[in-house]
Amino acid sequence: MTQTPSLKTQFLQVDGMDCGSCAKTIEASLQQLPGVMEASVSFATAKAKVLYNPKILREAEIINRITTLGYTVEQTSELKSHNHSNSCEGEHDYNHDHVKADVSQKLQAKVGGMDCGNCAKTVEVGLQQIAGVLEASVSFATERMQVSYDPQQVSEKTIYDRVKALGYTVEQSHEVKPHNHTSDCNGNHDHHHTHSHDSDHEHLEVAFPQKLQAKIGGMDCGSCAKTVEVGLQQLAGVLEVSVSFATERMQVSYDPQQVNEQTISDRVRTLGYTFEQIGEISSHQDTHSRDHDNSVSKPTQKRDPASWKFWINNRRGQSVILAGLGLILGLLTQHLALPIWIARAFYGIGIVIAGYPIARAGLFELRLRRADMNLLMTISVIGAVILGDWFEATLVLFLFSLGTTLQVFTFGRTRNAISALMDLTPPTATVKRGNKEVTVPVESIQVGEILTLRPGGRVALDGIVISGSSAIDQSPITGESIPEDKEKGDTVFAGTLNQSGFLEVKVTHTVSDTTVSKIIYLVESAQGSRAPSQQWVDRFAEVYTPIVILIAIAIALIPPLAFAQPFNVWLYRALVMLVIACPCALVISTPVSIVSAIGAATRQGVLFKGGNALETAGRLTTLAFDKTGTITQGLPVVQKVYDLGTVSANMVLQIAASLEQQSEHPLSKAIVTKAHEQGMELETPINFTALPGKGIQANFGELVYFVGNQRLFLDQGIRLSGEVESLLAEIEQLGQIPVLIGTNEGLLGVIALSDGIRLEATEALRQLRRVGLKRLVMLTGDRTAVAKQIAQQVGITEYRAELLPEDKLEEIQLLRKKGVAGMVGDGINDAPALAAADISFAVGGIDIALETADVVIVGSDLRRLAYAVELSRRTVSVIQQNVVFSLVTKGLFLLLGTFGFVGLAVAVLADTGTSLLVTANGMRLFKTKTVKD
């Protein structure tokens, strides 16, 4: 009989996780189980690894703990299990009786009244503050809320009341109660489902939507994206569709019980577009992992319309050339007075070649009961042929094809510039395995492995330097042009360049979870998001196009029928009106500006989470700052060393640093750092003793020295003179912390420390005022004296002190009543205030910032705030220029077309020309680099 090993490792597939917080929740819960030695859960791979003592804990209890949190569990092939006998009679070191764990419950509800993603964040934060709520997830896109809670601590009513108190409506959907698993000795599971009714084993099925992401090819303008959206929304089971012409990306939320991926892809292809699946998504890490594997890692192809190879080697270019050739040959035939059928044959060739993809797309539009440029253009060309104007029909198609080709590839230049981020990470890396260095694919490298980096090589994965020193070019990630020196203990990011030295780096994130992969996902999502102005344009276009079509019909029928006017003349004018009816330039005016601005910001280390954030930042009137970790460094710094006449100030610092070098306290490290900066040689004391809550003591020779607070010296019987007490009061009045240094014989000196102000803080605030932000406010939980001092140092005249997190929330709400208010913080202890602001900026660690803010300042340089605001204002201005120009142009040609002053060719030229002009105007934003002086 095989003995049971002392420890066992269990691998599980965990489904249902929505973000990294889910993985952390599961990890924390598993680690609380008795017998669990180690537990790690990866959101990126949906895998859990548990090391446990089988004499204390059973497999069923681990699985039950995860399922009680509302997730599903499946054992993987990696499972390492005990050797059991073939029957239940075999002897085991533990029995298989099921021990029931405390069961959490999960409810799902619809939340109404949310206007943007910040609203969802507000609800999440509000619910997470309730005792007993284990996890809260709110989606603005689907208006769904999922809450996992402990029914012994909180009730459903309390949860619903909190949502309503935050100003939103809530409609109960289903309560999802987890499965409890029992296990027999063969490892089979009998599922017993708890239910609120008395019926045994009744299971409440709740279908959770799945998401699909794909690349859509063949779109010529924003109207094409709308066609795909409408076509998919007609499928039963499709809950939500978002298609971006700017990024050629589609995201679909669907009910897998009603529709599958194949049906969705078939519908897209039926509409006349190409479909390249990226993968089902549940998070940014997973999305980018698949995206990176399937398409991102491929080098971006350079396509330049100025090159003749461009026109020869791609389908669009070939169509334009052949249509132009047919146009020229037909025109030449007419000029030579050859039979008219020969000219029409050449014109017909041009019409068929250039018109087939347009007509095909137009027919699909007709099936969807929509009218876009393809359908309107098709009708116009057919009408021109009926009227016998074959030349103009061919010319119209040639100009339209040429214009859309140039527009698509001009827009593609911006996409290609952004995709340069995706090529930063090398596909392979060198790792130490055993005594050898091997080069392996980055996908195979796990957390904890050691990378070796030589000069000139790119960092493949995020990690911590464990050996060596070098200068690292971090400009692709942080936007900083000056390389940063890295040594043992420092963090390096994937995609950065090792310039000078040899480094060994311990991997902290796998390829799907690196900082650069998160940035890529964020940029892609932001570029594909719809800004408020774009939503207005879409609504306007839905009204504008049908109205103009009705006007065209009226022009074609009323004059001939009511006033006996020539039918051919007014039919031609109606065809012109149809060309003018499509608002292509108007629809594309916003997304091209958003994509360009986000691309420019990314290159400067500023990450916008979408068009809404970009536009809101452009309307900002007030900006509030958290103090600690935002205006200040969040770490103590020595401000001044006071001597009391016995020894010099330098000697006071040297004695204190020599004593403190064995302590890990932040104040101790600050003192030691200051001594090292001044080049002091530190001695090693003997008989070192830490005195918790007071300080430390140690010997130099026979003399005992003390470093600590006032209480330490009073306990030692060392009296403080009135002069010293006045000094301590003065230091504390300045918001600084006094550290006393002395011996049994008396006090030697005092060191004053405080949270150091960021070096760039004053300049950053000056730049913000220069770009037009007049009201800057500091919010802090620190004392009023400290807040006043910091505010004076950086030039802030308005501050609020001694605030609790809920007080900061109230202050933000008050600021919002007087204008568009933003909040700048580190994303750690100021999440409620960040969520409550109209727009939030995070300057902390990238991992935290990406999850909490609308705008992320990579590298934590506050001066980039002014750049972000200025870029946003320029973007809003450019969008307004594009929209006004598009509307004026359309209005002008609408008027001219009605009275017959423009023909079909001129109308097409005006339409495509306007689209190209607004595209070029929007792309100017991509070159924005700095704030103007």
Side-chain angles (χ1 to χ4, degrees):
M1 181 174 61
T2 305
Q3 295 293 321
T4 303
S6 58
L7 291 179
K8 178 180 176 182
T9 302
Q10 185 174 20
F11 293 89
L12 300 169
Q13 176 80 24
V14 182
D15 294 320
M17 294 188 290
D18 298 318
C19 61
S21 294
C22 298
K24 292 178 182 177
T25 299
I26 297 171
E27 272 186 6
S29 184
L30 290 175
Q31 288 166 354
Q32 293 174 358
L33 287 174
V36 170
M37 313 303 293
E38 181 181 348
S40 62
V41 182
S42 169
F43 167 63
T45 62
K47 293 285 197 309
K49 178 182 176 183
V50 185
L51 179 67
Y52 68 103
N53 186 342
K55 294 183 178 180
I56 301 174
L57 188 66
R58 294 186 292 276
E59 290 178 7
E61 293 179 75
I62 297 173
I63 294 172
N64 186 60
R65 174 55 65 93
I66 298 175
T67 55
T68 56
L69 294 173
Y71 306 93
T72 58
V73 184
E74 181 179 304
Q75 292 185 350
T76 70
S77 58
E78 298 173 284
L79 180 63
K80 298 176 178 65
S81 55
H82 296 298
N83 294 322
H84 295 280
S85 61
N86 294 330
S87 65
C88 292
E89 286 78 11
E91 296 180 16
H92 302 277
D93 292 327
Y94 58 94
N95 59 50
H96 293 274
D97 294 336
H98 175 62
V99 178
K100 186 175 181 180
D102 291 336
V103 179
S104 65
Q105 293 183 0
K106 197 167 188 179
L107 65 83
Q108 191 178 60
K110 182 177 181 180
V111 179
M114 297 188 292
D115 300 320
C116 62
N118 268 341
C119 296
K121 199 182 300 180
T122 299
V123 178
E124 281 186 359
V125 172
L127 291 176
Q128 287 165 355
Q129 292 174 348
I130 301 176
V133 170
L134 307 176
E135 184 184 0
S137 174
V138 183
S139 169
F140 165 64
T142 61
E143 293 187 314
R144 293 288 172 179
M145 169 185 81
Q146 291 187 34
V147 182
S148 178
Y149 65 98
D150 182 352
Q152 296 179 355
Q153 298 186 59
V154 66
S155 66
E156 292 178 28
K157 184 177 183 302
T158 304
I159 294 171
Y160 294 140
D161 288 345
R162 173 58 64 88
V163 176
K164 293 172 184 175
L166 292 170
Y168 304 95
T169 62
V170 60
E171 179 183 338
Q172 184 174 0
S173 176
H174 292 288
E175 184 178 25
V176 185
K177 296 195 178 182
H179 304 307
N180 293 327
H181 294 270
T182 60
S183 178
D184 60 22
C185 54
N186 292 321
N188 299 321
H189 295 90
D190 296 325
H191 299 276
H192 300 285
H193 311 292
T194 62
H195 195 276
S196 59
H197 298 92
D198 295 331
S199 56
D200 294 334
H201 310 294
E202 184 178 350
H203 178 48
L204 179 62
E205 290 288 346
V206 178
F208 289 93
Q210 293 185 8
K211 287 190 177 181
L212 175 70
Q213 190 179 69
K215 181 177 181 180
I216 307 299
M219 296 189 293
D220 298 323
C221 64
S223 189
C224 298
K226 189 68 176 177
T227 297
V228 179
E229 286 186 353
V230 172
L232 291 178
Q233 285 166 350
Q234 293 177 351
L235 291 176
V238 171
L239 307 175
E240 184 183 3
V241 185
S242 174
V243 182
S244 169
F245 167 65
T247 60
E248 296 184 311
R249 293 301 169 96
M250 174 189 77
Q251 289 194 28
V252 182
S253 177
Y254 66 96
D255 182 351
Q257 295 180 354
Q258 298 185 60
V259 67
N260 56 33
E261 296 172 8
Q262 187 62 45
T263 304
I264 293 171
S265 62
D266 288 346
R267 172 56 65 91
V268 173
R269 294 186 179 100
T270 301
L271 292 172
Y273 304 96
T274 62
F275 177 96
E276 180 184 340
Q277 184 173 342
I278 295 172
E280 271 189 17
I281 61 173
S282 58
S283 72
H284 66 266
Q285 293 97 328
D286 200 25
T287 302
H288 180 259
S289 176
R290 293 186 179 98
D291 195 7
H292 186 86
D293 295 341
N294 294 337
S295 60
V296 168
S297 60
K298 298 176 183 178
T300 304
Q301 295 180 354
K302 294 183 180 179
R303 309 179 225 177
D304 185 3
S307 169
W308 63 270
K309 291 183 179 179
F310 163 80
W311 299 100
I312 297 295
N313 295 333
N314 75 80
R315 180 182 58 80
R316 290 178 183 273
Q318 293 166 0
S319 296
V320 173
I321 290 174
L322 292 174
L325 189 61
L327 180 67
I328 293 171
L329 291 175
L331 190 61
L332 183 62
T333 302
Q334 278 188 301
H335 181 71
L336 296 175
L338 296 176
I340 191 64
W341 66 267
I342 297 178
R344 288 183 175 178
F346 284 124
Y347 289 141
I349 291 172
I351 290 172
V352 170
I353 291 173
Y356 171 73
I358 297 170
R360 184 169 180 266
L363 288 174
F364 288 128
E365 287 294 314
L366 195 58
R367 292 180 188 176
L368 297 174
R369 299 178 182 176
R370 292 187 71 248
D372 75 342
M373 193 62 182
N374 293 304
L375 179 60
L376 301 177
M377 188 63 62
T378 301
I379 296 172
S380 298
V381 169
I382 293 173
V385 170
I386 292 173
L387 293 174
D389 199 342
W390 289 68
F391 166 73
E392 190 156 23
T394 311
L395 179 61
V396 163
L397 283 174
F398 171 74
L399 291 173
F400 181 70
S401 299
L402 177 63
T404 53
T405 301
L406 290 173
Q407 176 183 305
V408 167
F409 287 100
T410 301
F411 209 121
R413 290 179 59 192
T414 304
R415 293 192 192 111
N416 293 341
I418 299 302
S419 65
L421 274 173
M422 303 173 182
D423 298 323
L424 288 175
T425 307
T428 60
T430 303
V431 298
K432 293 180 70 174
R433 290 182 176 171
N435 296 323
K436 297 182 179 179
E437 291 187 3
V438 295
T439 301
V440 298
V442 290
E443 292 81 7
S444 67
I445 300 174
Q446 301 298 315
V447 172
E449 292 199 77
I450 307 300
L451 301 179
T452 57
L453 299 175
R454 290 175 171 76
R458 285 203 178 273
V459 182
L461 298 166
D462 292 0
I464 297 175
V465 177
I466 61 171
S467 175
S469 62
S470 180
I472 299 289
D473 178 6
Q474 298 190 139
S475 58
I477 305 297
T478 65
E480 291 288 351
S481 57
I482 302 175
E484 185 172 333
D485 292 331
K486 299 288 185 180
E487 56 187 17
K488 184 177 180 180
D490 290 336
T491 299
V492 294
F493 300 114
T496 55
L497 183 65
N498 181 26
Q499 291 195 330
S500 56
F502 176 82
L503 295 175
E504 289 188 347
V505 175
K506 185 177 182 179
V507 175
T508 57
H509 294 80
T510 57
V511 66
S512 61
D513 199 34
T514 60
T515 298
V516 70
S517 70
K518 293 175 183 177
I519 291 174
I520 290 169
Y521 170 80
L522 179 61
V523 172
E524 288 178 343
S525 299
Q527 288 179 329
S529 66
R530 277 185 170 85
S533 60
Q534 186 177 352
Q535 295 171 13
W536 177 87
V537 166
D538 290 343
R539 290 193 298 269
F540 175 83
E542 289 175 0
V543 176
Y544 167 83
T545 302
I547 289 176
V548 177
I549 291 174
L550 290 175
I551 293 174
I553 294 172
I555 288 175
L557 298 177
I558 293 175
L561 295 177
F563 304 104
Q565 295 291 312
F567 179 74
N568 286 2
V569 172
W570 290 97
L571 176 61
Y572 183 83
R573 292 182 183 180
L575 296 178
V576 173
M577 295 296 291
L578 290 180
V579 173
I580 299 171
C582 190
C584 288
L586 185 63
V587 170
I588 204 174
S589 60
T590 298
V592 67
S593 305
I594 295 294
V595 168
S596 299
I598 288 174
T602 301
R603 295 194 302 175
Q604 299 299 319
V606 178
L607 306 179
F608 286 92
K609 281 193 175 179
N612 184 48
L614 194 61
E615 288 195 11
T616 304
R619 296 182 287 107
L620 202 61
T621 58
T622 303
L623 194 57
F625 292 82
D626 183 46
K627 179 183 74 70
T628 306
T630 303
I631 291 178
T632 65
Q633 300 173 20
L635 295 171
V637 175
V638 173
Q639 299 295 339
K640 190 172 182 179
V641 180
Y642 299 87
D643 68 85
L644 300 179
T646 307
V647 296
S648 67
N650 282 342
M651 181 62 70
V652 170
L653 178 61
Q654 186 176 24
I655 293 171
S658 297
L659 292 169
E660 296 278 25
Q661 61 185 326
Q662 296 186 43
S663 173
E664 293 297 320
H665 195 281
L667 295 177
S668 303
K669 291 182 178 180
I671 292 172
V672 173
T673 298
K674 184 68 174 180
H676 285 158
E677 287 175 356
Q678 295 189 6
M680 293 181 176
E681 292 186 6
L682 305 183
E683 300 181 21
T684 302
I686 58 174
N687 300 329
F688 177 89
T689 304
L691 305 171
K694 301 177 184 178
I696 59 174
Q697 71 176 46
N699 285 55
F700 285 116
E702 299 296 325
L703 195 59
V704 180
Y705 286 82
F706 301 95
V707 177
N709 56 26
Q710 186 174 351
R711 179 183 167 191
L712 170 61
F713 285 82
L714 293 176
D715 289 350
Q716 296 298 322
I718 304 172
R719 296 187 62 184
L720 305 181
S721 65
E723 181 183 354
V724 170
E725 289 184 348
S726 297
L727 175 62
L728 297 180
E730 180 184 336
I731 292 172
E732 291 178 349
Q733 185 64 30
L734 292 173
Q736 299 172 350
I737 302 171
V739 174
L740 287 64
I741 300 95
T743 67
N744 282 324
E745 299 175 359
L747 202 61
L748 300 176
V750 179
I751 299 177
L753 301 96
S754 68
D755 191 0
I757 296 174
R758 289 178 183 266
L759 297 177
E760 79 282 5
T762 303
E763 172 65 14
L765 295 170
R766 186 181 67 82
Q767 289 183 354
L768 284 168
R769 291 190 182 92
R770 195 170 66 207
V771 299
L773 269 179
K774 302 302 181 185
R775 191 177 187 190
L776 303 176
V777 184
M778 185 177 73
L779 307 178
T780 178
D782 215 332
R783 291 172 297 162
T784 302
V786 177
K788 182 179 179 181
Q789 184 204 18
I790 298 294
Q792 288 176 343
Q793 286 182 282
V794 298
I796 291 180
T797 58
E798 193 174 351
Y799 59 88
R800 312 280 189 275
E802 300 180 22
L803 300 176
L804 297 173
E806 53 266 32
D807 298 327
K808 291 182 182 179
L809 185 63
E810 291 180 7
E811 289 293 336
I812 291 294
Q813 291 170 342
L814 290 174
L815 293 174
R816 289 182 65 188
K817 292 179 179 179
K818 299 180 181 180
V820 179
M823 175 71 185
V824 185
D826 57 14
I828 298 174
N829 58 359
D830 44 22
L834 288 173
D838 292 305
I839 183 168
S840 54
F841 300 82
V843 295
I846 293 176
D847 282 345
I848 297 172
L850 286 172
E851 300 296 335
T852 58
D854 301 309
V855 184
V856 179
I857 309 299
V858 183
S860 301
D861 188 340
L862 288 177
R863 287 171 294 191
R864 291 186 186 143
L865 285 168
Y867 170 82
V869 174
E870 177 67 8
L871 176 65
S872 300
R873 293 186 173 179
R874 291 181 187 177
T875 303
V876 171
S877 176
V878 168
I879 289 173
Q880 290 171 348
Q881 293 167 17
N882 284 348
V883 170
V884 171
F885 179 67
S886 300
L887 289 174
V888 170
T889 304
K890 284 292 179 183
L892 177 63
F893 278 88
L894 195 64
L895 186 64
L896 294 175
T898 303
F899 294 100
F901 292 109
V902 296
L904 279 173
V906 176
V908 171
L909 196 59
D911 182 81
T912 55
T914 305
S915 296
L916 286 172
L917 285 174
V918 298
T919 299
N921 191 38
M923 287 183 64
R924 290 190 304 114
L925 293 166
F926 192 70
K927 298 179 180 179
T928 306
K929 293 182 179 180
T930 57
V931 176
K932 289 184 179 180
D933 293 326

